[in-house]
Amino acid sequence: MKVDDIMDVALRRGFIFPASEIYGGVSGFWEYGHLGTKLRQNWENAWRRHFLGLDPNYHEITTTNIMPKGVFEGSGHLENFNDPLTSCTKCNQRFRADDLVQEATGRSVEDLTPLELSEAIRAEGITCPKCKGELGEVNLFNMMFQVNIGAAGGLTGYLRPETAQGSFVSFKRMFEVLRNKLPMGLAIVGRVYRNEISPRQGFFRLREFNQAELQIFFDPDAFEEHPDFETVRDTVLRVKQFGSDDIVSLTCGELVESRGIGKFYVYHMARVQEFYLTTLRIPPELFRFRELGGKEKAFYNKVHWDVEVYMETLGGFKEVGGIHYRTDHDLGGHEKASKQRLQVNIDGKKFVPHVLELSFGVDRNFWALMDVFYEQEGERTVFHFPPALAPVTVAVFPLLNKPELIAAAEALYTRLSPHFSADYDRGGSIGRRYRRHDEVGTPYCLTVDFDTVEKGTVTLRDRDSMAQEAVALDTVAATLIARLCP
Ligand code: ATP
């Protein structure tokens, strides 16, 4: 099974492993090894470059992971951030009721109430997956982790379940700091925590994970326009519209005209797709937007498309992100709960800005890279990561254990390592060293041989084509840069 093969490399080579492993681990918590950390950071940095580059007024901020209770009263999480829970009356094991019903019926049940889920469990004869015992009534379970702040514990806080609230509660100050201009984007890349009921899908549903979210605050009267829309008008998007099973190709212009979705929204869809197809190099047939509608969509989201990548290891298209037009729900809620005015005044026009949220789960995107780029080619295991994202960009090898080759290879490594993610490897045959680096997706290997000492050239080997070519020592860095930034 592909998932076992990937997990084998992931565990053996230091991508990911279960958290607190020596104590048996807890499901939904994972750790990143040295290569996984690099790959995740590279994804995050690519995300920053792409999305913060969309507008000079989009910026990254850093906010706290623990926030006081008031924030989540204002955001509505205390009341609404719930999943349906059912427990086995025999063994007490707890399960997400919607997952069980969905598995049994094969249809999406995100819109069912707890009562309807209880009825479905009875109607379908669903029993405890562990011991076949009878399942109890479905209740709502709040997924936030509560913490006590301070020695006296008088103040209740919560670990943030999404990064977004940091941007909303910082809006007032940042709007002033950034001189009262809209649209204004506030991005946060960081840790979030959700007490998921049954995180069973390996690395997909986690209890502690990273999100990369950009909240774009804008004037609602400007939703129908975007100054750069013409640059994406003919861009073809791959979309699965609400109520249809087909993935169709529609241009941005067609989506605006046929569906009446604001250009501001569709422009950002195009740029999200560009990130996946161009920066991450996800093959187009493995990418789609899925429109959410009916009760599946949160009531405050006026327009909601999920970003999905087809992952063989997870058996289909899976959500890795979402584009949410959240109206003034967030600032309106915080204005009411904090009693602070979050209205803006732009040229005499007073209004509460609306929010377009571009939201991504970093870890799910990490897994998408592991899934999409994994290949078993005969004896060779390869991750065909985009070169700029690979955990190690370049590996340097001396051909033989000869002092002059070792000295030249060490000197080359020392020259490259401040500028590239570089590795130095002198163990085993060259063939074995290539295999070791293919297995972690290193796009370029440089072998130092006698030509290096005599003629000043090294052999550059390309991971994907396996082609080898001689490159002059003093042009190695420039050659790598040209390939990393084509
Ligand atoms: P799901 O329906 O899978 O529970 P969601 O719709 O609740 O996800 P959002 O609240 O929109 O997700 O969060 C934004 C992104 O964060 C998601 O698109 C996903 O990539 C990621 N994410 C959400 N929950 C988890 C989780 N438990 N583990 C890992 N990533 C997650």
Side-chain angles (χ1 to χ4, degrees):
M1 286 262 286
K2 183 173 172 180
V3 63
D4 299 326
D5 296 339
I6 296 177
M7 235 354 142
D8 172 59
V9 182
L11 292 170
R12 217 164 19 77
R13 299 301 306 273
F15 281 90
I16 48 171
F17 49 92
S20 308
E21 203 175 10
I22 60 169
Y23 288 94
V26 181
S27 60
F29 293 94
W30 286 79
E31 259 138 27
Y32 284 78
H34 65 307
L35 296 180
T37 299
K38 271 273 181 201
L39 181 62
R40 199 194 67 224
Q41 283 172 346
N42 290 346
W43 185 93
E44 289 174 346
N45 288 334
W47 185 91
R48 288 183 168 102
R49 275 194 298 276
H50 184 84
F51 288 100
L52 298 180
L54 295 186
D55 189 296
N57 203 30
Y58 291 178
H59 308 271
E60 183 176 358
I61 59 172
T62 310
T63 62
T64 58
N65 291 8
I66 297 176
M67 300 173 101
K69 186 175 178 182
V71 171
F72 300 106
E73 282 165 352
S75 71
H77 280 84
L78 269 172
E79 203 182 320
N80 298 317
F81 196 60
N82 303 313
D83 265 349
L85 169 80
T86 179
S87 310
C88 174
T89 53
K90 210 164 120 198
C91 72
N92 262 334
Q93 183 86 22
R94 287 153 177 241
F95 303 96
R96 247 181 88 162
D98 52 343
D99 282 350
L100 296 183
V101 176
Q102 187 161 337
E103 264 167 38
T105 61
R107 62 188 164 85
S108 168
V109 293
E110 275 188 50
D111 54 349
L112 295 194
T113 62
L115 193 64
E116 289 166 334
L117 285 168
S118 295
E119 282 164 6
I121 286 176
R122 279 195 290 276
E124 298 289 334
I126 303 170
T127 53
C128 171
K130 281 258 144 90
C131 74
K132 301 277 167 255
E134 194 186 328
L135 293 170
E137 290 301 308
V138 177
N139 292 304
L140 290 177
F141 169 76
N142 193 286
M143 290 195 290
M144 284 196 295
F145 286 99
Q146 187 178 322
V147 292
N148 292 323
I149 303 172
L155 189 58
T156 299
Y158 292 88
L159 296 177
R160 63 183 182 189
E162 59 179 22
T163 60
Q165 298 310 320
S167 297
F168 302 141
V169 300
S170 307
F171 169 78
K172 189 177 161 68
R173 179 168 293 278
M174 289 306 299
F175 185 66
E176 285 164 18
V177 168
L178 293 166
R179 292 182 295 171
N180 308 328
K181 281 196 303 265
L182 294 180
M184 175 183 85
L186 295 180
I188 298 176
V189 180
R191 236 48 193 147
V192 303
Y193 308 83
R194 295 185 183 184
N195 199 359
E196 297 279 358
I197 294 170
S198 45
R200 289 180 299 161
Q201 289 168 297
F203 195 69
F204 186 72
R205 191 166 290 290
L206 310 180
R207 286 178 164 141
E208 176 173 343
F209 55 100
N210 272 23
Q211 281 185 330
E213 295 193 297
L214 173 63
Q215 311 300 321
I216 305 166
F217 302 88
F218 65 96
D219 176 348
D221 290 342
F223 189 63
E224 302 308 325
E225 292 303 327
H226 190 284
D228 295 329
F229 185 75
E230 288 312 309
T231 63
V232 302
R233 176 179 286 282
D234 297 327
T235 300
V236 176
L237 302 178
R238 285 175 48 80
V239 297
K240 180 182 171 301
Q241 301 180 82
F242 180 63
S244 161
D245 286 335
D246 302 326
I247 302 174
V248 294
S249 297
L250 288 180
T251 65
C252 290
E254 286 167 341
L255 201 55
V256 169
E257 276 139 36
S258 66
R259 300 293 313 281
I261 305 173
K263 287 180 185 164
F264 194 75
Y265 188 99
V266 177
Y267 171 80
H268 284 93
M269 282 177 90
R271 303 308 297 267
V272 167
Q273 181 178 283
E274 180 187 40
F275 177 64
Y276 278 86
L277 304 195
T278 308
T279 305
L280 304 183
R281 301 196 189 177
I282 301 292
E285 65 278 13
L286 303 186
F287 176 87
R288 74 178 185 189
F289 290 109
R290 183 174 76 89
E291 184 180 19
L292 275 76
K295 288 192 212 156
E296 208 185 12
K297 176 164 70 81
F299 70 91
Y300 48 80
N301 277 339
K302 212 161 163 183
V303 189
H304 180 165
W305 294 74
D306 273 347
V307 179
E308 298 190 337
V309 173
Y310 185 92
M311 294 183 231
E312 201 184 322
T313 53
L314 296 169
F317 277 100
K318 296 290 168 187
E319 174 188 340
V320 292
I323 308 179
H324 313 132
Y325 175 18
R326 301 173 63 97
T327 68
D328 60 358
H329 171 74
D330 308 285
L331 291 187
H334 286 302
E335 190 164 54
K336 232 158 114 195
S338 68
K339 304 200 170 50
Q340 297 277 325
R341 279 185 92 72
L342 299 179
Q343 203 183 52
V344 300
N345 181 345
I346 296 184
D347 300 331
K349 185 177 162 192
K350 291 184 184 162
F351 58 96
V352 174
H354 281 203
V355 168
L356 177 67
E357 174 184 70
L358 311 186
S359 171
F360 301 86
V362 176
D363 311 69
R364 283 190 189 173
N365 278 277
F366 171 94
W367 186 258
L369 298 178
M370 300 288 281
D371 178 295
V372 168
F373 294 113
Y374 175 85
E375 198 103 41
Q376 186 65 49
E377 299 166 359
E379 290 290 282
R380 187 168 103 107
T381 301
V382 197
F383 278 110
H384 293 284
F385 297 130
L389 293 190
V392 178
T393 309
V394 59
V396 179
F397 315 143
L399 178 67
L400 300 167
N401 263 330
K402 299 268 181 205
E404 63 273 38
L405 300 191
I406 289 171
E410 283 179 0
L412 180 59
Y413 169 77
T414 306
R415 244 180 60 208
L416 295 176
S417 60
H419 310 290
F420 300 93
S421 172
D423 191 22
Y424 176 74
D425 188 352
R426 50 181 276 201
S429 70
I430 282 292
R432 279 179 75 94
R433 282 181 264 175
Y434 283 151
R435 295 286 172 270
R436 267 208 296 273
H437 276 277
D438 286 342
E439 195 181 52
V440 298
T442 305
Y444 309 113
C445 294
L446 293 169
T447 303
V448 168
D449 52 24
F450 292 106
D451 278 351
T452 314
V453 183
E454 285 156 21
K455 298 192 213 151
T457 60
V458 284
T459 303
L460 171 65
R461 186 258 197 184
D462 182 278
R463 174 197 67 199
D464 296 338
S465 65
M466 291 193 276
Q468 301 187 14
E469 64 187 290
V471 177
L473 263 180
D474 50 6
T475 63
V476 165
T479 306
L480 291 175
I481 289 170
R483 286 174 196 213
L484 288 167
C485 326

